Amino acid sequence: MLSEFDLIKQYFVTPASKDPRIALGIGDDCALLNPSPGKQLAISSDMLVSGRHFFPDADPFGLGHKCLAVNLSDLAAMGAKPLAFTLALSLPEANREWLDRFSKGLLTLAAEHNCTLIGGDTTKGPLNICITIFGEITPGQALRRDTAQVGDDIWISGDIGDARLALAGYWKELELSPEQHQQAAVRMHRPTPRIALGMELCGIAHAALDISDGLIGDLGHILERSKVGASLEVDKLPAGLMLQSQPQELRRRFTLAGGDDYELCFTAPIQQREQVIAAGLRTGTAVTRVGKIEHKLGLRLLDQDGQHLALELKSFDHFVSD
Amino acid sequence: MLSEFDLIKQYFVTPASKDPRIALGIGDDCALLNPSPGKQLAISSDMLVSGRHFFPDADPFGLGHKCLAVNLSDLAAMGAKPLAFTLALSLPEANREWLDRFSKGLLTLAAEHNCTLIGGDTTKGPLNICITIFGEITPGQALRRDTAQVGDDIWISGDIGDARLALAGYWKELELSPEQHQQAAVRMHRPTPRIALGMELCGIAHAALDISDGLIGDLGHILERSKVGASLEVDKLPAGLMLQSQPQELRRRFTLAGGDDYELCFTAPIQQREQVIAAGLRTGTAVTRVGKIEHKLGLRLLDQDGQHLALELKSFDHFVSD
């Protein structure tokens, strides 16, 4: 039978990192990091629960990718450069095939971002995956939520809403063609953390976060913490490729209150428009200007004629919506 | 109803830390730390699962204490000084009374060690508590597992086995008086992380770890990683106060292969005996010399006459024992 230590050794220990900042990796009571002199450490934790954040029969390779991707996305939202992560894993059983594919999905994405697995924990229990990730950033450069300024443009990276469309397909809320559903599902299962763009936006953007619970709820955090309001041009929101061919009402709903997008929503002064577009070009990431930070509190939704839209929407909350 | 953000705000956000190393705490995509110049960061993650690491009806105050204590114990085992931690929490429901007591147990111990909660995650799901902890240590001073040397004494802090005795009471393996059981249970539910001793042992001890899965299994990690063997004087092992009055066979079994002790097992050169005892005195921690690191591989158990004991014991493994 596979013991806890064999499990870690076989599936999660990679050749010793050559990164001099990683003084000690997996296998002791603690890992040891040598932070780069003069840098701040950005830290984020995300816990993914079976049946809540992913289907119990989810493809383990994709799951390994997604668990790390959502954590990388938090680093991207601060503008931090990935360094390392810990993985705590509760598993119903030590299934070799599952572990093999899960660890490959996880470690493939980790390698792409030079982000080293340095420790963690494994235990038996209901499937639960908790990653804590570490990145580095120059002090004063982090893209926070409380630093949006009146007059800023609001921008969104990539496109949003296809993950929500895929979910609607799984839930049978909508009839999608198999091909539509499959393509939308890629956005749900394989989010792309916008690490390169986040780093480029340091010094250009004022505030940023990643869209995980739906745009209006997440943008609401920037507004609340920055003590500002905003208006959004709803029909300018960059809808996902599959969502684009859906009716306007659905497009509006899924871009505004989708979830699982893992794109960046950021604000930047008008004078930085060219710089924002250049940052998008350098990192191969679409950037779309979708609204404005305003003095008047609250969030105003405008249609293509600048008329107010009254939409009943809410963001996802783990303890209220169910 | 209590939303995810209210839950965090009400129970887990404490007044802003005055620690200049904590540049940004709870509420953004990432927390930001300013590591002290010239220090290494020690990092450890532990995941505690309901029904596995604690009883589903466990007192939430004690549970909050224990979750952080086992993580602090990992810092102690490296000799690191606590700095901060993240908490990821999966909860079946947002129960105010449970949250109030859990957060008090957690944050009381955190305050005792100047260890600040800087972020995390909350979600709905089977009860699961994952903490990642951060400490600081001078490079080269960490008490690792792979640095025991032939000739070293083996030491144990405090006493061991009472947590296992309490478990035997819960499992009805043994008949304990209510008072015995209650006192033993304190050691199970309220472990004392040996932070002060761990820090004092830097520069004195060669190797260390904390005893969580049972002494012989945990000491085995030091032996394996340091490529050495050891002999243990079994009847010198410091048995917990309640275990002391139990028959010799049980004392031996529960000190050697108990679990949940969270005491330090460390090795130090013979020349440091006085220094080890002085470190114990300065930190109010008993230290007991229980064996020797030897060239010959394997672990030898000796009785009080120096005779070999053949005992069938095994350490706890999450995926093998069940």
Side-chain angles (χ1 to χ4, degrees):
Chain A
M1 201 188 291
L2 199 60
S3 78
E4 184 179 352
F5 292 94
D6 291 340
L7 185 161
I8 295 166
K9 209 183 283 180
Q10 279 188 37
Y11 297 106
F12 295 107
V13 175
T14 48
S17 169
K18 279 169 198 140
D19 190 332
R21 296 171 302 176
I22 295 166
L24 185 64
I26 293 172
D28 214 305
D29 295 288
C30 294
L32 295 173
L33 286 188
N34 292 317
S36 304
K39 291 281 185 184
Q40 278 184 336
L41 211 63
I43 299 172
S44 180
S45 280
D46 274 294
M47 179 176 263
L48 277 77
V49 175
S50 178
R52 186 118 196 125
H53 299 90
F54 56 89
F55 298 115
D57 62 350
D59 163 46
F61 185 96
L63 188 57
H65 172 101
K66 184 165 178 176
C67 290
L68 186 62
V70 303
N71 277 279
L72 285 165
S73 183
D74 283 316
L75 292 185
M78 292 306 268
K81 184 176 183 180
L83 167 54
F85 68 106
T86 60
L87 167 71
L89 192 56
S90 169
L91 289 172
E93 54 169 351
N95 178 304
R96 284 176 190 273
E97 196 186 326
W98 192 95
L99 281 163
D100 184 54
R101 287 186 54 74
F102 175 80
S103 60
K104 285 208 172 88
L106 181 84
L107 297 176
T108 301
L109 184 63
E112 280 169 26
H113 290 279
N114 285 315
C115 193
T116 308
L117 178 58
I118 55 168
D121 196 10
T122 51
T123 183
K124 200 163 178 165
L127 184 55
N128 182 310
I129 303 155
C130 182
I131 286 177
T132 303
I133 198 162
F134 312 100
E136 289 191 329
I137 190 161
T138 303
Q141 294 254 306
L143 304 171
R144 300 166 56 143
R145 296 178 173 193
D146 57 0
T147 42
Q149 289 178 27
V150 173
D152 280 359
D153 293 318
I154 300 172
W155 297 80
I156 287 178
S157 71
D159 56 64
I160 57 181
D162 266 2
R164 180 65 184 82
L165 184 69
L167 195 63
Y170 287 118
W171 284 348
K172 313 277 180 213
E173 286 177 343
L174 286 176
E175 192 111 355
L176 299 175
S177 76
E179 198 189 325
Q180 274 182 320
H181 192 204
Q182 209 171 7
Q183 290 202 46
V186 171
R187 292 302 311 271
M188 181 177 175
H189 299 306
R190 300 283 169 94
T192 304
R194 299 299 188 186
I195 290 289
L197 179 65
M199 289 172 64
E200 289 280 343
L201 289 175
C202 288
I204 297 174
H206 277 151
L209 48 58
D210 70 325
I211 309 170
S212 57
D213 292 336
L215 173 60
I216 52 165
D218 287 325
L219 176 58
H221 299 313
I222 289 183
L223 303 186
E224 191 185 333
R225 294 180 59 98
S226 299
K227 301 185 174 63
V228 293
S231 60
L232 270 187
E233 296 178 75
V234 173
D235 297 316
K236 282 197 183 166
L237 291 172
L241 276 175
M242 294 301 111
L243 184 58
Q244 281 170 23
S245 56
Q246 297 290 329
Q248 184 184 57
E249 186 274 335
L250 198 76
R251 252 180 8 240
R252 287 174 170 175
R253 193 147 59 86
F254 284 2
T255 49
L256 284 169
D260 249 6
D261 294 303
Y262 303 104
E263 292 291 353
L264 300 184
C265 171
F266 57 97
T267 84
I270 292 177
Q271 306 87 293
Q272 296 283 9
R273 280 182 190 172
E274 279 181 35
Q275 292 306 315
V276 170
I277 291 164
L281 280 175
R282 279 196 297 278
T283 60
T285 318
V287 287
T288 309
R289 195 151 47 82
V290 298
K292 209 151 221 16
I293 297 293
E294 296 166 342
H295 188 265
K296 188 183 169 195
L297 298 183
L299 177 62
R300 289 156 291 283
L301 304 178
L302 308 177
D303 68 12
Q304 56 244 46
D305 304 316
Q307 298 299 307
H308 279 266
L309 276 171
L311 296 174
E312 278 281 337
L313 297 163
K314 64 173 185 168
S315 191
F316 184 77
D317 186 293
H318 282 288
F319 290 100
V320 173
S321 53
D322 211 1
Chain B
M1 200 187 292
L2 198 61
S3 78
E4 185 179 350
F5 292 95
D6 292 340
L7 186 161
I8 295 166
K9 210 184 280 180
Q10 278 188 38
Y11 297 105
F12 295 107
V13 175
T14 49
S17 170
K18 280 168 197 141
D19 189 333
R21 295 170 303 176
I22 295 165
L24 186 64
I26 293 172
D28 214 305
D29 295 288
C30 294
L32 294 173
L33 287 187
N34 293 316
S36 304
K39 292 280 185 185
Q40 276 183 336
L41 211 63
I43 299 172
S44 180
S45 280
D46 274 295
M47 178 175 265
L48 277 75
V49 175
S50 179
R52 185 117 196 126
H53 299 90
F54 56 89
F55 298 116
D57 62 349
D59 163 47
F61 185 96
L63 187 57
H65 173 100
K66 185 164 176 175
C67 291
L68 186 61
V70 304
N71 277 279
L72 285 164
S73 183
D74 283 317
L75 292 185
M78 290 308 265
K81 184 176 185 180
L83 166 55
F85 69 106
T86 59
L87 167 71
L89 192 56
S90 168
L91 288 172
E93 53 168 353
N95 178 303
R96 284 178 190 272
E97 197 187 326
W98 191 96
L99 281 162
D100 184 53
R101 290 188 50 75
F102 175 80
S103 60
K104 283 207 173 89
L106 181 85
L107 297 176
T108 301
L109 184 64
E112 281 170 26
H113 291 280
N114 286 314
C115 193
T116 309
L117 178 59
I118 55 169
D121 196 11
T122 52
T123 182
K124 200 162 178 167
L127 184 55
N128 181 310
I129 303 155
C130 183
I131 286 177
T132 303
I133 198 162
F134 313 100
E136 288 191 330
I137 192 162
T138 304
Q141 295 254 307
L143 304 171
R144 299 166 56 142
R145 298 178 172 192
D146 57 359
T147 42
Q149 289 179 25
V150 173
D152 280 0
D153 293 318
I154 301 172
W155 298 80
I156 287 178
S157 72
D159 55 63
I160 57 180
D162 266 4
R164 181 65 183 81
L165 185 70
L167 196 62
Y170 288 118
W171 282 350
K172 312 279 183 211
E173 286 177 343
L174 286 177
E175 191 112 352
L176 300 174
S177 76
E179 198 190 322
Q180 274 181 320
H181 193 205
Q182 208 170 9
Q183 290 201 47
V186 171
R187 292 302 310 271
M188 181 177 172
H189 298 306
R190 300 284 169 94
T192 306
R194 300 298 189 187
I195 289 290
L197 179 66
M199 289 171 64
E200 289 279 344
L201 289 175
C202 288
I204 296 175
H206 276 152
L209 49 58
D210 70 325
I211 309 170
S212 57
D213 291 337
L215 174 59
I216 53 165
D218 287 326
L219 176 57
H221 299 314
I222 289 184
L223 304 186
E224 191 186 333
R225 292 180 60 97
S226 299
K227 301 185 175 64
V228 292
S231 59
L232 270 186
E233 296 178 76
V234 174
D235 297 316
K236 281 196 183 165
L237 291 172
L241 275 175
M242 294 302 110
L243 184 58
Q244 282 169 24
S245 57
Q246 296 290 327
Q248 186 186 54
E249 186 275 335
L250 198 76
R251 257 183 1 244
R252 287 175 170 173
R253 193 146 59 88
F254 284 4
T255 50
L256 284 168
D260 248 6
D261 294 303
Y262 302 104
E263 293 291 354
L264 299 185
C265 171
F266 57 97
T267 83
I270 292 177
Q271 307 87 292
Q272 296 283 8
R273 279 184 190 171
E274 279 181 33
Q275 293 305 316
V276 170
I277 291 165
L281 281 174
R282 281 196 297 278
T283 60
T285 318
V287 286
T288 308
R289 195 152 47 80
V290 299
K292 208 149 225 11
I293 296 293
E294 296 166 342
H295 188 265
K296 188 184 168 194
L297 297 184
L299 176 62
R300 288 155 291 283
L301 304 177
L302 308 177
D303 67 13
Q304 58 243 44
D305 304 318
Q307 299 298 309
H308 279 266
L309 278 170
L311 297 173
E312 277 283 336
L313 297 162
K314 62 172 186 169
S315 191
F316 184 76
D317 186 292
H318 283 288
F319 290 98
V320 174
S321 52
D322 211 0

